Structures are given as structure tokens and as C-alpha cells.
């Protein structure tokens, strides 16, 4: 998806019962953070799904919050464990560009969720 001077790419696949998503973009796509969401029953609402998420973030990277949010959303939406690898870099990024990336990542994740549902 093109957002002015940045392009984002979201790839996804099923790995047996689990799912894997890779979100990259910008000047230098890379591995900045990985989040693993394990789907489980909600601790507060019986019959509802939730997830527990673990992160690994490479030194100096800030994609951990985005990877964590996407992994949790996907795990709950498709009732499967989910891994998200995320690496987006744009030199001299502005606050508006960050907001545009977060919004686009949410939209792209919604599309992936539809593609991953059985």
C-alpha cells in the first residue's frame, strides 16, 4: 500500500493451525520486532477469546508496539496463534506519517484477517 513517500507490504500465511504475518516498508525494510500471540480463553469473559503476547525487539527499533497490537488482533480474530514480524524505516519520518502507517497497518491487517479466516 502506497502512503505518499512510503510503501507498506503485508504478507501472511497459515502455518498449519497458526498464522504468520510480515509487515515491511519504507527506505530499508528489515526485522525490527517480532510478536507472538498465543490465543486463549479470556480471563475476564467466559467464552470470549483473548491472547497473551510476547515480544522480541531488536536494539534501536520501535516496531514492537505495532507488532504486538497486530499479533493480538489477528490471534483473537482467527482463533489461532499468530506471529508478526515487523520492520518499517523511513528517514526523517513525521508524526503524520507515523499515524498514516499505523492506520494503514490496521486496514491491511483487517484484510489479512479476512483472508486467514477458515
Amino acid at each position: 500500500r502506497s502512503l505518499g513517500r512510503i510503501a507498506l507490504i503485508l504478507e501472511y500465511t497459515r502455518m498449519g493451525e497458526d498464522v504468520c504475518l510480515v509487515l515491511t516498508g519504507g527506505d530499508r525494510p528489515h526485522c525490527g520486532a517480532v510478536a507472538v500471540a498465543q490465543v486463549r480463553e479470556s480471563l475476564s469473559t467466559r467464552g470470549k477469546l483473548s491472547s497473551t503476547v510476547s515480544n522480541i525487539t531488536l536494539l534501536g527499533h520501535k516496531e514492537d508496539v505495532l507488532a504486538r497490537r497486530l499479533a493480538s488482533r489477528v490471534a483473537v480474530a482467527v482463533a489461532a496463534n499468530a506471529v508478526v514480524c515487523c520492520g518499517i524505516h523511513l528517514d526523517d519520518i513525521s508524526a503524520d506519517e507515523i499515524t498514516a502507517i499505523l492506520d494503514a497497518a490496521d486496514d491491511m491487517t483487517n484484510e489479512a484477517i479476512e483472508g486467514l479466516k477458515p
Side-chain angles (χ1 to χ4, degrees):
R1 181 163 301 176
S2 184
L3 308 167
R5 66 184 184 118
I6 188 168
L8 296 179
I9 299 169
L10 178 65
E11 300 172 305
Y12 59 90
T13 188
R14 280 234 172 234
M15 299 174 71
E17 296 295 317
D18 303 321
V19 297
C20 181
L21 292 85
V22 177
L23 177 63
T24 60
D27 301 326
R28 291 187 302 278
H30 58 279
C31 292
V34 176
V36 180
Q38 185 174 14
V39 70
R40 59 172 171 75
E41 185 173 346
S42 171
L43 301 175
S44 61
T45 307
R46 189 177 185 107
K48 185 176 178 182
L49 293 179
S50 187
S51 68
T52 297
V53 184
S54 297
N55 266 98
I56 298 174
T57 308
L58 280 73
L59 185 63
H61 293 274
K62 298 179 182 178
E63 294 90 352
D64 54 312
V65 173
L66 178 59
R68 180 182 200 86
R69 183 174 80 202
L70 300 183
S72 181
R73 281 186 51 219
V74 171
V76 170
V78 302
N81 297 322
V83 175
V84 173
C85 180
C86 185
I88 302 165
H89 178 86
L90 188 63
D91 286 333
D92 301 316
I93 194 166
S94 70
D96 288 342
E97 288 171 322
I98 292 170
T99 299
I101 288 169
L102 296 175
D103 291 344
D106 282 338
D107 290 344
M108 295 167 76
T109 300
N110 290 338
E111 294 167 12
I113 287 168
E114 289 305 312
L116 289 165
K117 286 184 178 176

